Amino acid sequence: MPMMFSSSYIELSQSALRSNVRFLRKHIGKKAEFCSVVKGNAYGHGIKHFVPMAEQCGVRQFAVFSAIEALSVLEHRTADSRIVIMGALANDELEWAIENEIAFYVFDLERLRGAQAAAKRVGKPALVHLELETGLHRTGLEIPQLEDAAAVLRANPALVQADGVCTHLAGAESVSNYLRIRNQIQSFQEQCVWLERQGIRPRTRHIACSAAAFAFPDTIMDMVRFGIAHYGYWPTKETQMQYYLEQDIEPNHRPDPLKRVITWKSRVMTIKEVKPGEFVGYGTSYQTSRKQILAAVPVGYFHGFARNLSNLGHVLIHGSRAQVAGLVNMNMMMVDVTDVAGVKKGDEVVIIGKQNKRQISVSSFSDLTRFLNYEVLVRIPSEIPRIVVE
Ligand SMILES: *Cc1c(COP(=O)(O)O)cnc(C)c1O
């Protein structure tokens, strides 16, 4: 009974994920490996539930930001899936990573030498992904450091293995970055050729995220790091439109090939009838214009429902939109159900997702709050119970 201790819960759709993975696999072809990016608690979906779901779809490669997330994947994987840490890993976590065959990005020489020393102590090779600087200017080995890096790899093949060579693109989801991205791709290719001449042949070369896999197909290479797309969202409207145009699809006549995995639900706490001209909730931001029926929904900004959706956001009840009436409180909000017939206590409320024919998408949320899709998702607290449904 998911509702017993919680005012709302999240359903994760196995069939939606299966359909997304199938669609994305078809797009990248058989030669490229599918990497599921599960940083940010699997974009708010929950690593614990999401990793086994992805494994059910045949995914065997996961990418996380930090060691603590890698630990969570390690604990919840159900197959011998590979894990790569793309970001934060402390020096004293290196041995742990190597011991557990967790690969990690290397973006400075200190990390590479640390990995070599730790591998020696553990007695197992460190699996490293050389992250190259190509123009993002965030993390990445600078070209002058490559010579030293290649020397370390050549000198210690039993201790340090090049599991990958990679880089990250500076905003493939927007055409406005086109030139910068093209330069990055070219720089990456040149550096790969140079490394190969130095005798460094990584198992994988990978640079594509969701947007790049669609906007720059030559970035697909040996592996694609899919985040937002496999959860069922286009990185931006622009990427989506670009896809539809290329496929010569009239957007209105084709269902979206990406299916949302998450549905966030709650129930009506209570119903209240309010006379015309009364203020509702704290302060004076909402005044009834007629005799209105309001439903209390036990979801507030504590649960990640942004306070700036006050008087603005919607939920679905009986398949109709009900607008937030007044301020979003810490633990609840009132919604106007005057025009929705027969609403009663205990009725299902959909906060994100589908109900009958209507849908509240994460992007309608983000349009209203000016948060990114990504941001709306990761704000959903990890404490809300998740259940996997078909
Ligand atoms: C988050 C992330 C991804 C996935 O990006 P999406 O846009 O969600 O597909 C890929 N690579 C790196 C390095 C990332 O940090």
Side-chain angles (χ1 to χ4, degrees), residues 4 6 50 64 77 144 178 214 226 259 282 296 316 361 372 388:
M4 238 159 44
S6 178
F50 191 82
V64 295
R77 70 180 177 183
Y178 182 82
F214 287 96
F226 279 117
K259 313 272 178 248
Y282 294 127
L316 295 176
S361 65
L372 298 172
V388 180

Side-chain angles (χ1 to χ4, degrees), residues 123-152:
K124 268 184 169 182
L127 304 171
V128 303
H129 289 240
L130 296 181
E131 189 189 10
L132 309 182
E133 178 58 72
T134 55
L136 180 63
H137 301 298
R138 198 172 66 176
T139 51
L141 288 161
E142 300 284 339
I143 289 177
Q145 298 176 312
L146 272 192
E147 205 142 335
D148 287 340
V152 172

Side-chain angles (χ1 to χ4, degrees), residues 37 39 43 65 86 105 131 138 167-168 173 207-211 225-229 231 235 374:
V37 179
K39 66 188 184 201
Y43 289 45
F65 176 72
M86 304 185 291
Y105 277 27
E131 189 189 10
R138 198 172 66 176
T167 196
H168 194 43
E173 66 281 355
I207 69 178
C209 55
S210 303
R225 305 184 304 258
F226 279 117
I228 200 81
Y231 298 104
Y374 298 71

Side-chain angles (χ1 to χ4, degrees), residues 92-303:
D92 58 6
E93 292 164 337
L94 279 172
E95 286 183 30
W96 170 82
I98 294 166
E99 185 62 56
N100 289 288
E101 294 166 26
I102 295 169
F104 48 88
Y105 277 27
V106 162
F107 35 77
D108 54 42
L109 290 169
E110 185 219 320
R111 168 55 41 84
L112 190 58
R113 298 201 176 102
Q116 180 197 336
K120 202 166 192 173
R121 291 193 296 273
V122 174
K124 268 184 169 182
L127 304 171
V128 303
H129 289 240
L130 296 181
E131 189 189 10
L132 309 182
E133 178 58 72
T134 55
L136 180 63
H137 301 298
R138 198 172 66 176
T139 51
L141 288 161
E142 300 284 339
I143 289 177
Q145 298 176 312
L146 272 192
E147 205 142 335
D148 287 340
V152 172
L153 284 168
R154 265 199 319 265
N156 305 278
L159 292 179
V160 198
Q161 287 176 10
D163 198 42
V165 171
C166 54
T167 196
H168 194 43
L169 301 172
E173 66 281 355
S174 170
V175 168
S176 61
N177 300 320
Y178 182 82
L179 204 57
R180 187 169 170 207
I181 304 284
R182 281 256 69 100
N183 287 335
Q184 282 193 278
I185 297 168
Q186 191 182 346
S187 163
F188 184 75
Q189 283 164 340
E190 286 167 6
Q191 294 187 62
C192 281
V193 169
W194 186 87
L195 280 168
E196 200 149 307
R197 283 209 206 102
Q198 304 295 305
I200 310 300
R201 284 184 192 84
R203 187 179 66 83
T204 56
R205 289 164 309 135
H206 53 99
I207 69 178
C209 55
S210 303
F214 287 96
F216 300 89
D218 56 338
T219 62
I220 292 172
M221 304 186 185
D222 302 320
M223 183 163 94
V224 176
R225 305 184 304 258
F226 279 117
I228 200 81
H230 81 312
Y231 298 104
Y233 307 90
W234 292 95
T236 51
K237 272 261 179 280
E238 200 175 308
T239 314
Q240 180 176 13
M241 285 309 129
Q242 213 170 348
Y243 171 76
Y244 282 134
L245 287 173
E246 268 161 29
Q247 303 295 308
D248 205 11
I249 294 170
E250 182 59 49
N252 291 329
H253 298 145
R254 255 306 173 88
D256 190 342
L258 295 176
K259 313 272 178 248
R260 264 58 72 191
V261 173
I262 231 170
T263 302
W264 184 10
K265 291 179 174 176
S266 182
R267 289 190 189 280
V268 172
M269 264 170 89
T270 189
I271 298 284
K272 186 173 285 293
E273 204 180 279
V274 184
K275 294 186 304 207
E278 297 289 335
F279 293 114
V280 175
Y282 294 127
T284 55
S285 82
Y286 190 90
Q287 190 173 29
T288 51
S289 53
R290 50 182 173 151
K291 187 172 89 181
Q292 280 179 240
I293 303 169
L294 301 173
V297 178
V299 170
Y301 57 80
F302 170 60
H303 309 102

